[in-house]
Amino acid sequence: MRVPEPMLAAPVEGLPRGDVAYEIKWDGYRCMLGVDEGAAVLRSRRGTDLAPAFADLAEAAVRDLPAGVLLDGEIVIWHDGRLDFGRLQRRLGRGPAAVAREIAATPAHYVAFDLLHEGGEDLLALPYRERRRRLEALCAGLAPPWTLCPMTHDRADAEEWMRRLAPAGVEGIVAKRLGQRYEPGRRGWSKVRSRHTTEAVVGAVTGTWARPGSLLLGRYDGERLRYTGRTTPLAPVLAREIGALLAPAPAGHPWAGRRFSAGWGTDELLDVTLVSPRQVLEVAADVSLDAAGRWRHPVRAIRLRPDLSPGDAPAFGAGNRPAAG
């Protein structure tokens, strides 16, 4: 079975109108999931095999799903009445025993929002409305850990979902044209976030890469990683979680030899350690920028997003402010 790249959503300021379906945007890991020749297929947005980290879903897929099915959806974990992205991260890069403990404590669920293959038939060319009809028929016979993503055609209902479900960790709404085919790798859908956050690439740290004190962030301007600001000091727990995913800087780091100021309007320099610029950080930031387009004030680190690639962060100068998307 060929696993295509996922279709993506472009951020917009408000929900589009017209011949549109509105779906909940989940705070989880995007995952192509299916069954091929008796084996479970779990692929992340970046092509990583997620089956070892989510062995509970892999086992359920073989048990519950028909052969030749490929779903597009989101892996989520519920904990204490809300979505818990941190507990998803705990499973990455862990051995079978550690994963088994996480499964016992907080099992994962899969929220399906598209059907790409069924019975060996490629459905990508079908319009969304037809793929959704077939997905609903498939999910009608499934029980947890499988969930059909809620969908509405009513814009007011979608706006109410954003207001009501944000405290539970729901990120926002994705809008999809009813007549649209599935286009791998293309940002053909639209998304509006409930939370006003944004992303940047971690290029350096204060302290060590294994136990960072704060993070220096950048965004790409074409091929160049441009410095855009740094975070406030990290809480110890968050520093440990982030340090476990960072890696030392490779040769030819784009910031090699560069010096960084300790703050806007000061000549004091930071003592920094360069890291491999591969990890994307979600941050909360205000709108105060300097003349170069950098954040004037430190931003607050929320979490690493190992499910995103550096190219998924906004381009430098095109979105340094928090975006509703």
Side-chain angles (χ1 to χ4, degrees):
M1 179 192 298
R2 184 183 67 86
V3 179
E5 290 184 64
M7 188 168 175
L8 305 173
V12 295
E13 292 297 326
L15 293 174
R17 302 176 185 272
D19 199 20
V20 174
Y22 305 102
E23 297 177 353
I24 290 174
K25 186 178 189 303
W26 300 89
D27 189 15
Y29 277 170
R30 182 79 176 272
C31 178
M32 301 290 200
L33 185 149
V35 178
D36 186 30
E37 298 183 351
V41 175
L42 284 84
R43 291 286 182 272
S44 76
R45 176 173 168 176
R46 300 173 69 174
T48 303
D49 180 11
L50 294 176
F54 296 96
D56 46 346
L57 292 181
E59 180 181 347
V62 174
R63 181 189 67 225
D64 299 337
L65 299 181
V69 157
L70 182 66
L71 301 167
D72 187 4
E74 203 92 4
I75 299 175
V76 300
I77 287 179
W78 288 95
H79 181 66
D80 288 342
R82 61 174 288 118
L83 296 168
D84 193 330
F85 191 86
R87 288 182 178 263
L88 291 170
Q89 291 180 306
R90 290 185 189 181
R91 298 200 188 190
L92 298 182
R94 307 289 292 277
V99 169
R101 289 193 295 271
E102 292 295 329
I103 289 172
T106 49
H109 290 75
Y110 186 81
V111 183
F113 52 68
D114 219 318
L115 179 60
L116 308 184
H117 291 266
E118 186 178 31
E121 181 184 359
D122 187 323
L123 309 182
L124 274 65
L126 294 180
Y128 167 86
R129 61 168 61 90
E130 176 61 18
R131 300 196 311 275
R132 176 72 190 195
R133 183 190 67 79
R134 294 174 68 156
L135 176 63
E136 289 175 352
L138 174 68
C139 290
L142 298 177
W146 312 108
T147 301
L148 175 66
C149 183
M151 182 272 288
T152 182
H153 299 292
D154 191 312
R155 190 171 184 268
D157 285 347
E159 291 174 336
E160 175 61 20
W161 283 351
M162 290 181 66
R163 289 189 294 269
R164 181 165 51 87
L165 298 178
V170 167
E171 287 192 326
I173 296 293
V174 176
K176 303 177 180 180
R177 300 289 175 185
L178 298 183
Q180 191 173 27
R181 61 171 289 164
Y182 192 97
E183 300 174 272
R186 180 173 176 266
R187 292 189 181 274
W189 298 329
S190 301
K191 62 182 178 181
V192 176
R193 278 184 176 166
S194 302
R195 294 197 314 267
H196 295 293
T197 61
T198 189
E199 295 85 27
V201 179
V202 181
V205 304
T206 61
T208 67
W209 63 266
R211 187 61 61 88
S214 63
L215 310 176
L216 281 71
L217 307 174
R219 284 171 169 170
Y220 280 93
D221 176 8
E223 297 297 318
R224 185 168 51 140
L225 184 65
R226 298 277 300 275
Y227 176 63
T228 193
R230 65 185 177 97
T231 68
T232 56
L234 302 177
V237 172
L238 185 59
R240 287 195 298 271
E241 292 176 353
I242 290 177
L245 296 176
L246 296 178
H253 190 286
W255 293 347
R258 173 166 181 168
R259 298 188 296 175
F260 295 90
S261 170
W264 188 80
T266 178
D267 293 329
E268 182 185 355
L269 297 178
L270 290 171
D271 183 13
V272 305
T273 301
L274 300 181
V275 299
S276 178
R278 294 181 54 83
Q279 294 293 342
V280 176
L281 182 75
E282 182 179 344
V283 301
D286 64 27
V287 298
S288 298
L289 305 179
D290 67 13
R294 298 172 298 208
W295 290 305
R296 284 182 54 185
H297 308 298
V299 300
R300 179 170 60 86
I302 296 175
R303 59 189 176 175
L304 282 184
R305 293 296 304 264
D307 55 318
L308 302 182
S309 63
D312 293 319
F316 185 87
N320 281 10
R321 295 174 174 84

Short mmCIF file of all heavy atoms in Angstrom, two decimals, residues 108-168:
data_model
loop_
_atom_site.label_atom_id
_atom_site.label_comp_id
_atom_site.label_asym_id
_atom_site.label_seq_id
_atom_site.Cartn_x
_atom_site.Cartn_y
_atom_site.Cartn_z
N ALA A 108 -4.06 5.38 24.03
CA ALA A 108 -4.28 6.34 22.95
C ALA A 108 -5.59 6.05 22.22
O ALA A 108 -6.11 4.93 22.25
CB ALA A 108 -3.12 6.28 21.96
N HIS A 109 -6.13 7.09 21.58
CA HIS A 109 -7.30 6.96 20.71
C HIS A 109 -6.95 7.53 19.34
O HIS A 109 -6.04 8.35 19.22
CB HIS A 109 -8.50 7.71 21.29
CG HIS A 109 -9.07 7.06 22.51
ND1 HIS A 109 -8.46 7.13 23.74
CD2 HIS A 109 -10.20 6.33 22.69
CE1 HIS A 109 -9.18 6.47 24.63
NE2 HIS A 109 -10.24 5.98 24.02
N TYR A 110 -7.68 7.07 18.34
CA TYR A 110 -7.46 7.56 16.98
C TYR A 110 -8.74 8.20 16.48
O TYR A 110 -9.80 7.58 16.46
CB TYR A 110 -7.07 6.41 16.05
CG TYR A 110 -6.68 6.86 14.65
CD1 TYR A 110 -5.39 7.35 14.41
CD2 TYR A 110 -7.58 6.80 13.60
CE1 TYR A 110 -5.04 7.77 13.13
CE2 TYR A 110 -7.22 7.21 12.32
CZ TYR A 110 -5.94 7.70 12.10
OH TYR A 110 -5.58 8.12 10.84
N VAL A 111 -8.62 9.47 16.08
CA VAL A 111 -9.76 10.22 15.54
C VAL A 111 -9.60 10.26 14.01
O VAL A 111 -8.68 10.90 13.50
CB VAL A 111 -9.81 11.65 16.10
CG1 VAL A 111 -11.03 12.37 15.57
CG2 VAL A 111 -9.83 11.62 17.63
N ALA A 112 -10.48 9.56 13.31
CA ALA A 112 -10.39 9.47 11.85
C ALA A 112 -11.16 10.60 11.20
O ALA A 112 -12.32 10.84 11.55
CB ALA A 112 -10.94 8.13 11.38
N PHE A 113 -10.52 11.31 10.26
CA PHE A 113 -11.24 12.36 9.53
C PHE A 113 -11.19 12.20 8.02
O PHE A 113 -11.77 13.00 7.29
CB PHE A 113 -10.79 13.76 9.93
CG PHE A 113 -9.30 14.03 9.87
CD1 PHE A 113 -8.64 14.08 8.67
CD2 PHE A 113 -8.60 14.26 11.04
CE1 PHE A 113 -7.29 14.35 8.62
CE2 PHE A 113 -7.24 14.53 11.00
CZ PHE A 113 -6.58 14.58 9.79
N ASP A 114 -10.52 11.15 7.51
CA ASP A 114 -10.56 10.92 6.07
C ASP A 114 -10.28 9.45 5.79
O ASP A 114 -9.62 8.75 6.59
CB ASP A 114 -9.54 11.79 5.33
CG ASP A 114 -10.08 12.32 4.01
OD1 ASP A 114 -10.74 11.54 3.29
OD2 ASP A 114 -9.87 13.51 3.70
N LEU A 115 -10.77 8.98 4.66
CA LEU A 115 -10.58 7.61 4.20
C LEU A 115 -9.92 7.67 2.83
O LEU A 115 -10.50 8.20 1.87
CB LEU A 115 -11.93 6.88 4.13
CG LEU A 115 -11.91 5.44 3.65
CD1 LEU A 115 -11.07 4.56 4.56
CD2 LEU A 115 -13.34 4.90 3.57
N LEU A 116 -8.69 7.14 2.74
CA LEU A 116 -7.88 7.28 1.52
C LEU A 116 -7.82 6.01 0.69
O LEU A 116 -7.64 6.07 -0.53
CB LEU A 116 -6.47 7.73 1.89
CG LEU A 116 -6.37 8.96 2.79
CD1 LEU A 116 -4.92 9.36 2.99
CD2 LEU A 116 -7.18 10.12 2.23
N HIS A 117 -7.91 4.87 1.35
CA HIS A 117 -7.95 3.58 0.65
C HIS A 117 -9.01 2.71 1.32
O HIS A 117 -9.18 2.76 2.55
CB HIS A 117 -6.61 2.85 0.73
CG HIS A 117 -5.51 3.49 -0.05
ND1 HIS A 117 -5.17 3.13 -1.34
CD2 HIS A 117 -4.67 4.49 0.27
CE1 HIS A 117 -4.16 3.87 -1.76
NE2 HIS A 117 -3.83 4.71 -0.80
N GLU A 118 -9.69 1.90 0.52
CA GLU A 118 -10.65 0.95 1.07
C GLU A 118 -10.74 -0.24 0.14
O GLU A 118 -11.00 -0.09 -1.05
CB GLU A 118 -12.03 1.59 1.25
CG GLU A 118 -13.03 0.68 1.95
CD GLU A 118 -14.37 1.36 2.16
OE1 GLU A 118 -14.75 2.21 1.33
OE2 GLU A 118 -15.04 1.04 3.16
N GLY A 119 -10.49 -1.44 0.69
CA GLY A 119 -10.54 -2.64 -0.13
C GLY A 119 -9.58 -2.61 -1.29
O GLY A 119 -9.85 -3.18 -2.35
N GLY A 120 -8.44 -1.93 -1.10
CA GLY A 120 -7.46 -1.81 -2.16
C GLY A 120 -7.75 -0.70 -3.15
O GLY A 120 -6.95 -0.46 -4.06
N GLU A 121 -8.88 -0.01 -3.02
CA GLU A 121 -9.24 1.07 -3.94
C GLU A 121 -8.68 2.40 -3.45
O GLU A 121 -8.85 2.77 -2.29
CB GLU A 121 -10.77 1.17 -4.04
CG GLU A 121 -11.24 2.24 -5.00
CD GLU A 121 -12.75 2.38 -5.01
OE1 GLU A 121 -13.42 1.61 -4.29
OE2 GLU A 121 -13.25 3.27 -5.73
N ASP A 122 -8.02 3.12 -4.33
CA ASP A 122 -7.49 4.45 -4.03
C ASP A 122 -8.63 5.47 -4.14
O ASP A 122 -9.25 5.60 -5.19
CB ASP A 122 -6.37 4.78 -5.01
CG ASP A 122 -5.63 6.07 -4.67
OD1 ASP A 122 -6.29 7.01 -4.20
OD2 ASP A 122 -4.41 6.14 -4.86
N LEU A 123 -8.88 6.19 -3.04
CA LEU A 123 -10.02 7.11 -3.00
C LEU A 123 -9.62 8.57 -3.11
O LEU A 123 -10.48 9.45 -3.00
CB LEU A 123 -10.80 6.91 -1.68
CG LEU A 123 -11.21 5.49 -1.32
CD1 LEU A 123 -12.01 5.49 -0.02
CD2 LEU A 123 -12.02 4.85 -2.44
N LEU A 124 -8.36 8.87 -3.35
CA LEU A 124 -7.89 10.25 -3.30
C LEU A 124 -8.60 11.15 -4.30
O LEU A 124 -8.79 12.34 -4.04
CB LEU A 124 -6.37 10.32 -3.54
CG LEU A 124 -5.47 10.14 -2.31
CD1 LEU A 124 -5.61 8.73 -1.73
CD2 LEU A 124 -4.02 10.43 -2.65
N ALA A 125 -9.00 10.62 -5.45
CA ALA A 125 -9.62 11.44 -6.48
C ALA A 125 -11.10 11.72 -6.21
O ALA A 125 -11.70 12.58 -6.86
CB ALA A 125 -9.47 10.79 -7.84
N LEU A 126 -11.69 11.02 -5.23
CA LEU A 126 -13.10 11.24 -4.92
C LEU A 126 -13.26 12.57 -4.19
O LEU A 126 -12.38 13.01 -3.46
CB LEU A 126 -13.63 10.11 -4.04
CG LEU A 126 -13.70 8.72 -4.65
CD1 LEU A 126 -14.26 7.73 -3.64
CD2 LEU A 126 -14.56 8.72 -5.92
N PRO A 127 -14.41 13.23 -4.35
CA PRO A 127 -14.65 14.47 -3.60
C PRO A 127 -14.77 14.18 -2.11
O PRO A 127 -15.14 13.07 -1.70
CB PRO A 127 -15.96 15.00 -4.18
CG PRO A 127 -16.64 13.80 -4.76
CD PRO A 127 -15.54 12.90 -5.24
N TYR A 128 -14.50 15.20 -1.30
CA TYR A 128 -14.57 15.03 0.15
C TYR A 128 -15.90 14.44 0.59
O TYR A 128 -15.94 13.56 1.45
CB TYR A 128 -14.35 16.38 0.84
CG TYR A 128 -14.71 16.37 2.30
CD1 TYR A 128 -13.78 15.97 3.26
CD2 TYR A 128 -15.99 16.73 2.74
CE1 TYR A 128 -14.11 15.93 4.61
CE2 TYR A 128 -16.32 16.70 4.09
CZ TYR A 128 -15.38 16.29 5.01
OH TYR A 128 -15.73 16.25 6.34
N ARG A 129 -17.02 14.92 0.04
CA ARG A 129 -18.33 14.46 0.50
C ARG A 129 -18.48 12.94 0.35
O ARG A 129 -19.08 12.29 1.20
CB ARG A 129 -19.45 15.18 -0.24
CG ARG A 129 -19.47 14.98 -1.74
CD ARG A 129 -20.78 15.48 -2.36
NE ARG A 129 -20.99 16.89 -2.15
CZ ARG A 129 -20.56 17.83 -2.99
NH1 ARG A 129 -19.84 17.49 -4.06
NH2 ARG A 129 -20.81 19.09 -2.75
N GLU A 130 -17.91 12.38 -0.73
CA GLU A 130 -18.00 10.93 -0.94
C GLU A 130 -17.06 10.18 -0.02
O GLU A 130 -17.41 9.13 0.54
CB GLU A 130 -17.71 10.59 -2.40
CG GLU A 130 -17.68 9.10 -2.71
CD GLU A 130 -19.00 8.38 -2.43
OE1 GLU A 130 -20.05 9.06 -2.32
OE2 GLU A 130 -18.98 7.14 -2.32
N ARG A 131 -15.83 10.71 0.18
CA ARG A 131 -14.91 10.06 1.12
C ARG A 131 -15.50 10.08 2.53
O ARG A 131 -15.38 9.11 3.28
CB ARG A 131 -13.55 10.75 1.11
CG ARG A 131 -12.85 10.75 -0.24
CD ARG A 131 -11.36 11.09 -0.12
NE ARG A 131 -11.09 12.26 0.68
CZ ARG A 131 -11.10 13.52 0.23
NH1 ARG A 131 -11.40 13.76 -1.05
NH2 ARG A 131 -10.81 14.54 1.03
N ARG A 132 -16.13 11.19 2.90
CA ARG A 132 -16.73 11.30 4.23
C ARG A 132 -17.88 10.29 4.37
O ARG A 132 -18.03 9.66 5.43
CB ARG A 132 -17.24 12.72 4.45
CG ARG A 132 -17.98 12.93 5.77
CD ARG A 132 -17.06 12.91 6.96
NE ARG A 132 -17.83 12.89 8.21
CZ ARG A 132 -17.31 13.15 9.42
NH1 ARG A 132 -16.04 13.44 9.55
NH2 ARG A 132 -18.07 13.09 10.49
N ARG A 133 -18.71 10.13 3.35
CA ARG A 133 -19.81 9.17 3.42
C ARG A 133 -19.28 7.76 3.66
O ARG A 133 -19.80 7.02 4.51
CB ARG A 133 -20.63 9.21 2.12
CG ARG A 133 -21.85 8.31 2.13
CD ARG A 133 -22.48 8.19 0.75
NE ARG A 133 -21.60 7.50 -0.17
CZ ARG A 133 -21.46 6.17 -0.22
NH1 ARG A 133 -22.09 5.40 0.65
NH2 ARG A 133 -20.66 5.62 -1.11
N ARG A 134 -18.22 7.40 2.95
CA ARG A 134 -17.66 6.06 3.11
C ARG A 134 -16.96 5.91 4.46
O ARG A 134 -16.98 4.83 5.07
CB ARG A 134 -16.73 5.75 1.94
CG ARG A 134 -17.48 5.67 0.62
CD ARG A 134 -16.60 5.50 -0.59
NE ARG A 134 -15.93 4.21 -0.64
CZ ARG A 134 -15.49 3.63 -1.77
NH1 ARG A 134 -15.69 4.24 -2.94
NH2 ARG A 134 -14.88 2.48 -1.74
N LEU A 135 -16.33 6.99 4.94
CA LEU A 135 -15.71 6.95 6.26
C LEU A 135 -16.76 6.75 7.35
O LEU A 135 -16.56 5.97 8.29
CB LEU A 135 -14.93 8.24 6.51
CG LEU A 135 -14.29 8.40 7.89
CD1 LEU A 135 -13.23 7.33 8.13
CD2 LEU A 135 -13.69 9.79 8.05
N GLU A 136 -17.87 7.44 7.26
CA GLU A 136 -18.94 7.29 8.24
C GLU A 136 -19.46 5.85 8.26
O GLU A 136 -19.74 5.30 9.34
CB GLU A 136 -20.06 8.27 7.95
CG GLU A 136 -19.69 9.72 8.24
CD GLU A 136 -20.77 10.71 7.83
OE1 GLU A 136 -21.75 10.28 7.17
OE2 GLU A 136 -20.63 11.90 8.15
N ALA A 137 -19.61 5.24 7.09
CA ALA A 137 -20.08 3.86 7.03
C ALA A 137 -19.07 2.91 7.68
O ALA A 137 -19.45 1.99 8.41
CB ALA A 137 -20.32 3.46 5.57
N LEU A 138 -17.79 3.15 7.45
CA LEU A 138 -16.75 2.31 8.06
C LEU A 138 -16.76 2.46 9.58
O LEU A 138 -16.71 1.47 10.32
CB LEU A 138 -15.38 2.70 7.51
CG LEU A 138 -14.17 2.01 8.14
CD1 LEU A 138 -14.15 0.53 7.80
CD2 LEU A 138 -12.88 2.67 7.68
N CYS A 139 -16.82 3.69 10.06
CA CYS A 139 -16.72 3.95 11.50
C CYS A 139 -17.98 3.53 12.27
O CYS A 139 -17.93 3.39 13.50
CB CYS A 139 -16.43 5.42 11.75
SG CYS A 139 -14.76 5.92 11.26
N ALA A 140 -19.09 3.35 11.56
CA ALA A 140 -20.33 2.95 12.23
C ALA A 140 -20.18 1.62 12.95
O ALA A 140 -20.87 1.36 13.93
CB ALA A 140 -21.48 2.89 11.22
N GLY A 141 -19.28 0.77 12.48
CA GLY A 141 -19.09 -0.54 13.10
C GLY A 141 -17.91 -0.61 14.05
O GLY A 141 -17.53 -1.71 14.47
N LEU A 142 -17.31 0.53 14.39
CA LEU A 142 -16.11 0.53 15.23
C LEU A 142 -16.40 1.14 16.60
O LEU A 142 -17.24 2.03 16.73
CB LEU A 142 -14.99 1.33 14.55
CG LEU A 142 -14.49 0.82 13.20
CD1 LEU A 142 -13.44 1.77 12.63
CD2 LEU A 142 -13.91 -0.59 13.34
N ALA A 143 -15.67 0.65 17.59
CA ALA A 143 -15.75 1.16 18.96
C ALA A 143 -14.37 1.66 19.35
O ALA A 143 -13.39 1.46 18.63
CB ALA A 143 -16.22 0.04 19.89
N PRO A 144 -14.25 2.35 20.50
CA PRO A 144 -12.93 2.82 20.94
C PRO A 144 -11.90 1.70 20.89
O PRO A 144 -12.24 0.54 21.18
CB PRO A 144 -13.19 3.28 22.37
CG PRO A 144 -14.62 3.71 22.36
CD PRO A 144 -15.31 2.74 21.43
N PRO A 145 -10.67 2.02 20.45
CA PRO A 145 -10.05 3.36 20.42
C PRO A 145 -10.34 4.19 19.17
O PRO A 145 -9.66 5.18 18.92
CB PRO A 145 -8.56 3.03 20.48
CG PRO A 145 -8.45 1.74 19.71
CD PRO A 145 -9.69 0.97 20.11
N TRP A 146 -11.34 3.80 18.37
CA TRP A 146 -11.62 4.49 17.11
C TRP A 146 -12.73 5.50 17.32
O TRP A 146 -13.76 5.21 17.94
CB TRP A 146 -12.02 3.49 16.03
CG TRP A 146 -11.08 2.33 15.98
CD1 TRP A 146 -11.33 1.05 16.37
CD2 TRP A 146 -9.72 2.35 15.56
NE1 TRP A 146 -10.21 0.26 16.21
CE2 TRP A 146 -9.20 1.04 15.71
CE3 TRP A 146 -8.88 3.35 15.06
CZ2 TRP A 146 -7.90 0.71 15.38
CZ3 TRP A 146 -7.57 3.02 14.73
CH2 TRP A 146 -7.10 1.71 14.90
N THR A 147 -12.54 6.71 16.77
CA THR A 147 -13.53 7.77 16.87
C THR A 147 -13.65 8.47 15.53
O THR A 147 -12.63 8.77 14.89
CB THR A 147 -13.12 8.81 17.94
OG1 THR A 147 -12.98 8.17 19.20
CG2 THR A 147 -14.16 9.91 18.06
N LEU A 148 -14.86 8.72 15.09
CA LEU A 148 -15.10 9.51 13.89
C LEU A 148 -15.05 10.98 14.24
O LEU A 148 -15.71 11.43 15.18
CB LEU A 148 -16.46 9.15 13.30
CG LEU A 148 -16.92 9.98 12.09
CD1 LEU A 148 -16.03 9.73 10.88
CD2 LEU A 148 -18.38 9.67 11.76
N CYS A 149 -14.26 11.75 13.51
CA CYS A 149 -14.15 13.18 13.78
C CYS A 149 -15.50 13.86 13.56
O CYS A 149 -16.11 13.72 12.50
CB CYS A 149 -13.11 13.81 12.86
SG CYS A 149 -12.82 15.56 13.17
N PRO A 150 -15.98 14.63 14.55
CA PRO A 150 -17.23 15.37 14.35
C PRO A 150 -17.11 16.35 13.18
O PRO A 150 -16.05 16.94 12.95
CB PRO A 150 -17.40 16.12 15.68
CG PRO A 150 -16.63 15.32 16.68
CD PRO A 150 -15.46 14.78 15.92
N MET A 151 -18.21 16.51 12.46
CA MET A 151 -18.25 17.40 11.30
C MET A 151 -19.60 18.09 11.27
O MET A 151 -20.63 17.51 11.63
CB MET A 151 -18.01 16.60 10.02
CG MET A 151 -17.97 17.44 8.74
SD MET A 151 -19.62 17.70 7.99
CE MET A 151 -19.95 16.06 7.33
N THR A 152 -19.60 19.34 10.83
CA THR A 152 -20.85 20.08 10.65
C THR A 152 -20.74 20.93 9.39
O THR A 152 -19.64 21.32 8.98
CB THR A 152 -21.15 20.98 11.87
OG1 THR A 152 -22.40 21.65 11.66
CG2 THR A 152 -20.07 22.03 12.08
N HIS A 153 -21.89 21.23 8.80
CA HIS A 153 -21.96 22.17 7.68
C HIS A 153 -22.37 23.56 8.16
O HIS A 153 -22.43 24.50 7.35
CB HIS A 153 -22.95 21.68 6.62
CG HIS A 153 -22.59 20.36 6.03
ND1 HIS A 153 -21.50 20.16 5.23
CD2 HIS A 153 -23.18 19.13 6.15
CE1 HIS A 153 -21.43 18.89 4.86
NE2 HIS A 153 -22.43 18.25 5.41
N ASP A 154 -22.66 23.69 9.45
CA ASP A 154 -23.15 24.94 10.02
C ASP A 154 -21.99 25.74 10.61
O ASP A 154 -21.35 25.31 11.57
CB ASP A 154 -24.19 24.62 11.10
CG ASP A 154 -24.94 25.85 11.58
OD1 ASP A 154 -24.29 26.87 11.88
OD2 ASP A 154 -26.18 25.79 11.67
N ARG A 155 -21.74 26.91 10.04
CA ARG A 155 -20.61 27.74 10.50
C ARG A 155 -20.79 28.16 11.95
O ARG A 155 -19.83 28.23 12.71
CB ARG A 155 -20.47 28.95 9.59
CG ARG A 155 -19.21 29.77 9.77
CD ARG A 155 -19.10 30.81 8.66
NE ARG A 155 -17.86 31.57 8.74
CZ ARG A 155 -17.74 32.72 9.41
NH1 ARG A 155 -18.77 33.22 10.07
NH2 ARG A 155 -16.57 33.35 9.42
N ALA A 156 -22.01 28.46 12.35
CA ALA A 156 -22.26 28.86 13.74
C ALA A 156 -21.94 27.73 14.71
O ALA A 156 -21.39 27.97 15.79
CB ALA A 156 -23.72 29.31 13.90
N ASP A 157 -22.26 26.51 14.32
CA ASP A 157 -21.91 25.36 15.16
C ASP A 157 -20.40 25.24 15.32
O ASP A 157 -19.88 24.97 16.41
CB ASP A 157 -22.46 24.06 14.57
CG ASP A 157 -23.97 23.92 14.75
OD1 ASP A 157 -24.55 24.69 15.54
OD2 ASP A 157 -24.55 23.05 14.09
N ALA A 158 -19.67 25.44 14.21
CA ALA A 158 -18.21 25.34 14.25
C ALA A 158 -17.63 26.41 15.17
O ALA A 158 -16.69 26.15 15.94
CB ALA A 158 -17.63 25.48 12.85
N GLU A 159 -18.15 27.63 15.10
CA GLU A 159 -17.67 28.69 15.98
C GLU A 159 -17.96 28.37 17.45
O GLU A 159 -17.15 28.65 18.33
CB GLU A 159 -18.31 30.03 15.58
CG GLU A 159 -17.82 30.54 14.23
CD GLU A 159 -18.56 31.78 13.77
OE1 GLU A 159 -19.71 31.98 14.24
OE2 GLU A 159 -17.99 32.54 12.96
N GLU A 160 -19.10 27.75 17.71
CA GLU A 160 -19.43 27.35 19.07
C GLU A 160 -18.49 26.26 19.56
O GLU A 160 -18.08 26.26 20.72
CB GLU A 160 -20.88 26.87 19.14
CG GLU A 160 -21.32 26.31 20.48
CD GLU A 160 -21.23 27.32 21.62
OE1 GLU A 160 -21.21 28.54 21.36
OE2 GLU A 160 -21.18 26.87 22.79
N TRP A 161 -18.14 25.32 18.68
CA TRP A 161 -17.16 24.29 19.05
C TRP A 161 -15.85 24.94 19.49
O TRP A 161 -15.25 24.51 20.47
CB TRP A 161 -16.90 23.37 17.87
CG TRP A 161 -17.97 22.36 17.60
CD1 TRP A 161 -19.05 22.07 18.40
CD2 TRP A 161 -18.08 21.51 16.46
NE1 TRP A 161 -19.80 21.10 17.82
CE2 TRP A 161 -19.24 20.73 16.63
CE3 TRP A 161 -17.31 21.33 15.31
CZ2 TRP A 161 -19.64 19.78 15.68
CZ3 TRP A 161 -17.70 20.39 14.38
CH2 TRP A 161 -18.85 19.63 14.56
N MET A 162 -15.41 25.94 18.76
CA MET A 162 -14.15 26.61 19.10
C MET A 162 -14.21 27.21 20.49
O MET A 162 -13.26 27.10 21.28
CB MET A 162 -13.81 27.68 18.06
CG MET A 162 -13.43 27.14 16.70
SD MET A 162 -13.02 28.45 15.53
CE MET A 162 -11.54 29.11 16.27
N ARG A 163 -15.32 27.87 20.81
CA ARG A 163 -15.44 28.50 22.14
C ARG A 163 -15.58 27.46 23.24
O ARG A 163 -14.94 27.56 24.30
CB ARG A 163 -16.66 29.43 22.15
CG ARG A 163 -16.49 30.69 21.32
CD ARG A 163 -17.62 31.65 21.57
NE ARG A 163 -18.89 31.11 21.08
CZ ARG A 163 -19.37 31.32 19.85
NH1 ARG A 163 -18.69 32.05 18.99
NH2 ARG A 163 -20.52 30.80 19.48
N ARG A 164 -16.40 26.45 23.00
CA ARG A 164 -16.75 25.51 24.07
C ARG A 164 -15.66 24.48 24.33
O ARG A 164 -15.47 24.04 25.48
CB ARG A 164 -18.07 24.82 23.71
CG ARG A 164 -18.57 23.83 24.75
CD ARG A 164 -20.02 23.47 24.47
NE ARG A 164 -20.26 23.06 23.11
CZ ARG A 164 -20.11 21.80 22.67
NH1 ARG A 164 -19.68 20.85 23.51
NH2 ARG A 164 -20.37 21.49 21.42
N LEU A 165 -14.95 24.07 23.30
CA LEU A 165 -14.02 22.95 23.44
C LEU A 165 -12.56 23.38 23.65
O LEU A 165 -11.72 22.54 23.94
CB LEU A 165 -14.10 22.05 22.20
CG LEU A 165 -15.46 21.39 21.96
CD1 LEU A 165 -15.44 20.57 20.68
CD2 LEU A 165 -15.87 20.52 23.15
N ALA A 166 -12.26 24.66 23.50
CA ALA A 166 -10.88 25.12 23.72
C ALA A 166 -10.34 24.73 25.10
O ALA A 166 -9.18 24.32 25.20
CB ALA A 166 -10.78 26.63 23.50
N PRO A 167 -11.13 24.83 26.18
CA PRO A 167 -10.58 24.44 27.49
C PRO A 167 -10.19 22.97 27.59
O PRO A 167 -9.39 22.59 28.45
CB PRO A 167 -11.74 24.76 28.46
CG PRO A 167 -12.53 25.81 27.78
CD PRO A 167 -12.45 25.46 26.32
N ALA A 168 -10.75 22.12 26.71
CA ALA A 168 -10.40 20.70 26.70
C ALA A 168 -9.17 20.41 25.85
O ALA A 168 -8.75 19.25 25.74
CB ALA A 168 -11.58 19.87 26.20
#
